[in-house]
């Protein structure tokens, strides 16, 4: 019974890692103005998005490696099945809340330039990372409910 949720969680965490990585790369390279109005570092909202993308990437990497270890060796890095289920569920809940806290950044509707397109792409990738982490939280919640019954 644990096989399908574990594989689904691994797939969702891999998707969250990919989208977090893309959001980080797009936002970090969004420097088209070199200190002017088209440079992300002049806007605190974009700096926040970059910071959250870094944290999301680190979390997704840790959980992805943990899941790969769990599926390959059959043992978890966290001792105890119930504790591991609680760690999964809590971590995914906090991860989804963290990525969902990326504000709806204002992108100028009148200006169609590379800076706004890159910012919109980074925000979209962060949203997809949130969706993958949120779905992973649902799978972790399902696994936690099974552990509570066992």
């Amino acid at each position: 019974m644990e096989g399908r949720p574990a594989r689904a969680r691994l797939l969702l965490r891999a998707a969250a890692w990919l989208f977090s990585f893309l959001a980080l790369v797009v936002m970090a390279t969004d420097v088209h103005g070199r200190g002017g109005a088209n440079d992300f570092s002049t806007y605190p909202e974009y700096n926040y998005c970059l910071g959250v993308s870094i944290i999301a990437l680190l979390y997704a990497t840790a959980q992805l490696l943990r899941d790969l270890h769990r599926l390959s060796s059959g043992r978890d890095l966290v001792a105890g099945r119930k504790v591991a289920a609680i760690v999964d569920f809590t971590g995914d809940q906090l991860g989804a809340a963290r990525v969902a806290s990326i504000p709806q950044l204002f992108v100028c509707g009148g200006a169609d330039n590379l800076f706004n397109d890159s910012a919109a792409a980074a925000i979209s990738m962060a949203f997809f990372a949130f969706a993958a982490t949120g779905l992973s939280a649902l799978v972790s919640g399902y696994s936690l409910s099974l552990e509570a019954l066992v």
Side-chain angles (χ1 to χ4, degrees):
M1 186 67 120
E2 178 61 27
R4 275 191 151 159
R7 286 191 301 271
R9 194 171 44 237
L10 177 66
L11 180 66
L12 289 167
R13 287 180 176 163
W17 182 90
L18 175 67
F19 290 131
S20 297
F21 179 74
L22 289 174
L24 174 66
V25 168
V26 170
M27 187 56 69
T29 59
D30 195 10
V31 275
H32 303 290
R34 301 286 181 222
N38 288 337
D39 187 1
F40 86 93
S41 63
T42 59
Y43 300 101
E45 298 89 359
Y46 294 132
N47 287 330
Y48 178 78
C49 184
L50 179 67
V52 168
S53 296
I54 291 169
I55 292 170
L57 182 67
L58 291 174
Y59 171 75
T61 301
Q63 286 290 65
L64 188 61
L65 292 175
R66 185 172 156 236
D67 278 350
L68 285 172
H69 180 268
R70 183 183 329 170
L71 287 176
S72 66
S73 70
R75 296 177 341 137
D76 199 346
L77 296 174
V78 178
R81 287 177 40 181
K82 288 187 181 187
V83 174
I86 290 171
V87 167
D88 280 339
F89 181 70
T90 305
D92 286 342
Q93 289 290 319
L94 292 174
R98 179 196 62 248
V99 176
S101 69
I102 292 177
Q104 293 292 331
L105 301 176
F106 177 76
V107 178
C108 209
D112 187 19
N113 57 30
L114 190 57
F115 174 73
N116 287 344
D117 292 344
S118 296
I123 295 166
S124 298
M125 292 299 109
F127 174 76
F128 290 139
F130 158 71
T133 307
L135 290 173
S136 177
L138 287 175
V139 174
S140 295
Y142 173 74
S143 296
L144 180 62
S145 70
L146 290 180
E147 285 300 322
L149 296 175
V150 173

